[in-house]
PDB file of all heavy atoms in Angstrom:
ATOM      1  N   LEU A  18      14.399 -22.014  13.951  1.00  0.00           N
ATOM      2  CA  LEU A  18      14.218 -20.805  13.164  1.00  0.00           C
ATOM      3  C   LEU A  18      15.220 -20.754  12.015  1.00  0.00           C
ATOM      4  O   LEU A  18      14.871 -20.427  10.876  1.00  0.00           O
ATOM      5  CB  LEU A  18      14.381 -19.570  14.059  1.00  0.00           C
ATOM      6  CG  LEU A  18      14.214 -18.226  13.377  1.00  0.00           C
ATOM      7  CD1 LEU A  18      12.789 -18.055  12.876  1.00  0.00           C
ATOM      8  CD2 LEU A  18      14.589 -17.109  14.328  1.00  0.00           C
ATOM      9  N   GLY A  23      16.446 -21.216   6.387  1.00  0.00           N
ATOM     10  CA  GLY A  23      17.328 -21.842   5.406  1.00  0.00           C
ATOM     11  C   GLY A  23      16.544 -22.605   4.349  1.00  0.00           C
ATOM     12  O   GLY A  23      16.873 -22.553   3.155  1.00  0.00           O
ATOM     13  N   SER A  34      16.553 -20.793 -10.020  1.00  0.00           N
ATOM     14  CA  SER A  34      17.668 -21.139 -10.896  1.00  0.00           C
ATOM     15  C   SER A  34      17.338 -22.278 -11.852  1.00  0.00           C
ATOM     16  O   SER A  34      17.838 -22.297 -12.981  1.00  0.00           O
ATOM     17  CB  SER A  34      18.902 -21.490 -10.067  1.00  0.00           C
ATOM     18  OG  SER A  34      18.639 -22.636  -9.282  1.00  0.00           O
ATOM     19  N   GLY A  36      14.106 -23.230 -12.762  1.00  0.00           N
ATOM     20  CA  GLY A  36      12.803 -23.065 -13.400  1.00  0.00           C
ATOM     21  C   GLY A  36      12.934 -22.580 -14.830  1.00  0.00           C
ATOM     22  O   GLY A  36      13.954 -22.023 -15.245  1.00  0.00           O
ATOM     23  N   ALA A  60     -11.636   2.663 -13.004  1.00  0.00           N
ATOM     24  CA  ALA A  60     -12.977   2.992 -13.480  1.00  0.00           C
ATOM     25  C   ALA A  60     -13.903   3.181 -12.278  1.00  0.00           C
ATOM     26  O   ALA A  60     -13.801   2.460 -11.290  1.00  0.00           O
ATOM     27  CB  ALA A  60     -13.501   1.886 -14.385  1.00  0.00           C
ATOM     28  N   ILE A  62     -16.896   2.861  -9.742  1.00  0.00           N
ATOM     29  CA  ILE A  62     -17.783   1.759  -9.377  1.00  0.00           C
ATOM     30  C   ILE A  62     -18.989   2.361  -8.678  1.00  0.00           C
ATOM     31  O   ILE A  62     -18.860   3.304  -7.895  1.00  0.00           O
ATOM     32  CB  ILE A  62     -17.060   0.748  -8.467  1.00  0.00           C
ATOM     33  CG1 ILE A  62     -15.861   0.150  -9.201  1.00  0.00           C
ATOM     34  CG2 ILE A  62     -18.000  -0.345  -8.014  1.00  0.00           C
ATOM     35  CD1 ILE A  62     -15.007  -0.752  -8.346  1.00  0.00           C
ATOM     36  N   LEU A  75     -21.930  -5.846   8.016  1.00  0.00           N
ATOM     37  CA  LEU A  75     -22.632  -5.432   9.225  1.00  0.00           C
ATOM     38  C   LEU A  75     -23.553  -6.533   9.742  1.00  0.00           C
ATOM     39  O   LEU A  75     -23.477  -6.929  10.903  1.00  0.00           O
ATOM     40  CB  LEU A  75     -23.439  -4.157   8.942  1.00  0.00           C
ATOM     41  CG  LEU A  75     -24.284  -3.648  10.101  1.00  0.00           C
ATOM     42  CD1 LEU A  75     -23.381  -3.102  11.186  1.00  0.00           C
ATOM     43  CD2 LEU A  75     -25.249  -2.607   9.620  1.00  0.00           C
ATOM     44  N   PHE A  76     -24.411  -7.059   8.883  1.00  0.00           N
ATOM     45  CA  PHE A  76     -25.357  -8.072   9.334  1.00  0.00           C
ATOM     46  C   PHE A  76     -24.671  -9.416   9.575  1.00  0.00           C
ATOM     47  O   PHE A  76     -25.114 -10.202  10.410  1.00  0.00           O
ATOM     48  CB  PHE A  76     -26.511  -8.212   8.336  1.00  0.00           C
ATOM     49  CG  PHE A  76     -27.475  -7.050   8.403  1.00  0.00           C
ATOM     50  CD1 PHE A  76     -27.539  -6.130   7.387  1.00  0.00           C
ATOM     51  CD2 PHE A  76     -28.294  -6.885   9.506  1.00  0.00           C
ATOM     52  CE1 PHE A  76     -28.417  -5.059   7.448  1.00  0.00           C
ATOM     53  CE2 PHE A  76     -29.169  -5.821   9.589  1.00  0.00           C
ATOM     54  CZ  PHE A  76     -29.231  -4.898   8.555  1.00  0.00           C
ATOM     55  N   LEU A  83     -24.975 -14.369  17.753  1.00  0.00           N
ATOM     56  CA  LEU A  83     -25.999 -15.360  18.083  1.00  0.00           C
ATOM     57  C   LEU A  83     -25.393 -16.673  18.580  1.00  0.00           C
ATOM     58  O   LEU A  83     -25.994 -17.366  19.394  1.00  0.00           O
ATOM     59  CB  LEU A  83     -26.883 -15.638  16.865  1.00  0.00           C
ATOM     60  CG  LEU A  83     -27.784 -14.491  16.422  1.00  0.00           C
ATOM     61  CD1 LEU A  83     -28.491 -14.858  15.137  1.00  0.00           C
ATOM     62  CD2 LEU A  83     -28.782 -14.160  17.501  1.00  0.00           C
ATOM     63  N   GLY A  94     -30.463 -17.403  31.234  1.00  0.00           N
ATOM     64  CA  GLY A  94     -31.797 -17.318  31.818  1.00  0.00           C
ATOM     65  C   GLY A  94     -32.706 -16.333  31.120  1.00  0.00           C
ATOM     66  O   GLY A  94     -32.536 -15.994  29.949  1.00  0.00           O
ATOM     67  N   PHE A  98     -32.432 -13.956  27.626  1.00  0.00           N
ATOM     68  CA  PHE A  98     -33.431 -14.124  26.571  1.00  0.00           C
ATOM     69  C   PHE A  98     -34.040 -12.775  26.189  1.00  0.00           C
ATOM     70  O   PHE A  98     -34.195 -12.462  25.004  1.00  0.00           O
ATOM     71  CB  PHE A  98     -34.520 -15.098  27.030  1.00  0.00           C
ATOM     72  CG  PHE A  98     -35.541 -15.382  25.982  1.00  0.00           C
ATOM     73  CD1 PHE A  98     -35.220 -16.091  24.847  1.00  0.00           C
ATOM     74  CD2 PHE A  98     -36.838 -14.924  26.138  1.00  0.00           C
ATOM     75  CE1 PHE A  98     -36.166 -16.347  23.875  1.00  0.00           C
ATOM     76  CE2 PHE A  98     -37.800 -15.175  25.179  1.00  0.00           C
ATOM     77  CZ  PHE A  98     -37.459 -15.891  24.035  1.00  0.00           C
ATOM     78  N   LEU A 109     -33.506  -6.435  13.328  1.00  0.00           N
ATOM     79  CA  LEU A 109     -34.573  -6.512  12.329  1.00  0.00           C
ATOM     80  C   LEU A 109     -35.107  -5.130  11.979  1.00  0.00           C
ATOM     81  O   LEU A 109     -35.505  -4.892  10.832  1.00  0.00           O
ATOM     82  CB  LEU A 109     -35.686  -7.428  12.820  1.00  0.00           C
ATOM     83  CG  LEU A 109     -35.311  -8.911  12.881  1.00  0.00           C
ATOM     84  CD1 LEU A 109     -36.443  -9.720  13.497  1.00  0.00           C
ATOM     85  CD2 LEU A 109     -34.955  -9.441  11.515  1.00  0.00           C
ATOM     86  N   VAL A 120     -32.158   0.106  -0.504  1.00  0.00           N
ATOM     87  CA  VAL A 120     -30.723  -0.083  -0.690  1.00  0.00           C
ATOM     88  C   VAL A 120     -30.425  -1.396  -1.389  1.00  0.00           C
ATOM     89  O   VAL A 120     -29.488  -1.504  -2.191  1.00  0.00           O
ATOM     90  CB  VAL A 120     -29.982  -0.002   0.660  1.00  0.00           C
ATOM     91  CG1 VAL A 120     -28.523  -0.328   0.517  1.00  0.00           C
ATOM     92  CG2 VAL A 120     -30.159   1.371   1.276  1.00  0.00           C
TER      93      VAL A 120
END
Side-chain angles (χ1 to χ4, degrees):
L18 180 65
S34 63
I62 299 174
L75 177 70
F76 286 109
L83 292 174
F98 183 68
L109 291 175
V120 174

